[in-house]
Amino acid sequence: MSTPLDSPDQGGLTVLDRELEELLREEHIEPGDHERFSHYVKKDKILESALTGKPVKALCGKKWTPGRDPEKFPICPTCKEIYDRMMG
C-alpha cells in the first residue's frame, strides 16, 4: 500500500501549489492609470508583492503589480480622497 509521501506529485502540497499558481494567473490585473498615478497600498502588501510578485490592491480598488518608483508620479485622487476620509 502506498502513502502520499511515496508519490509526492500525486497530491498534497503539489496540488495546492498548482491551484494557487492557477488562481494567481487568473487574477484580473487592471491596465490603466497605475501607469500615471501613485496609489495608496498597505506597506506590508507592498513588501509581500516585492517578495512574491503577487498583485496589490490600492484604496481605490486598482489591482496591479508594483514595479515603479511612486515618487515619480502624482497621487491617485481617488486614493487620496479615501485616505483623507479614513484619517479625518
Side-chain angles (χ1 to χ4, degrees), residues 18-66:
R18 276 196 309 265
E19 289 175 0
L20 178 59
E21 287 174 11
E22 185 177 327
L23 285 173
L24 289 174
R25 274 194 304 273
E26 291 174 0
E27 187 168 353
H28 180 66
I29 300 173
E30 300 173 14
D33 72 0
H34 70 276
E35 301 289 335
R36 299 183 300 155
F37 293 116
S38 292
H39 293 274
Y40 288 174
V41 178
K42 290 182 179 180
K43 286 183 182 180
D44 63 323
K45 295 297 180 185
I46 294 287
L47 178 59
E48 180 182 339
S49 178
L51 295 173
T52 65
K54 181 180 175 184
V56 295
K57 185 174 182 180
L59 287 178
C60 68
K62 176 64 75 179
K63 284 186 180 180
W64 85 106
T65 304

Side-chain angles (χ1 to χ4, degrees), residues 2-16 18-19:
S2 68
T3 68
L5 294 177
D6 294 333
S7 312
D9 291 337
Q10 299 301 314
L13 292 178
T14 303
V15 171
L16 292 175
R18 276 196 309 265
E19 289 175 0

